[in-house]
Amino acid sequence: MNRQAVLSIYRFEMNRTFRTLAQSIVSPVLSTVLYFVVFGTAIGKRIDTVDGIPYGAFIVPGLIMLTLLQQSVTNASFGI
């Protein structure tokens, strides 16, 4: 394994991540909040609970996972 090449790629990707920190954090948080607001107003009024769990508590983990998966694929493939 070429340690120098791995170290160079690691440094390049970490520098890119810190340069685009606002895009890596602010954008996903904003889109998740928008999803929550849209789904909350469109569907949340019609659904009170899902298997005894309030709708907001039911949808938030799914939205968080959606954002994490989307950002992990986007950030990992950006360097390629």
Side-chain angles (χ1 to χ4, degrees):
M1 182 169 78
N2 188 348
R3 292 180 190 260
Q4 185 66 27
V6 171
L7 185 61
S8 296
I9 292 171
Y10 174 77
R11 285 181 181 159
F12 176 78
E13 289 298 321
M14 291 307 292
N15 286 335
R16 184 193 61 80
T17 300
F18 289 124
R19 281 193 316 262
T20 62
L21 197 58
Q23 293 172 354
S24 297
I25 294 177
V26 175
S27 175
V29 169
L30 184 62
S31 65
T32 302
V33 169
L34 287 174
Y35 273 124
F36 185 69
V37 168
V38 169
F39 287 131
T41 55
I43 300 172
K45 293 178 182 177
R46 297 180 187 152
I47 301 173
D48 291 331
T49 60
V50 178
D51 290 335
I53 300 170
Y55 179 73
F58 175 78
I59 198 167
V60 167
L63 290 174
I64 291 172
M65 286 307 298
L66 171 74
T67 302
L68 286 174
L69 290 172
Q70 184 179 16
Q71 288 301 310
S72 66
V73 169
T74 301
N75 286 335
S77 66
F78 188 84
I80 296 173

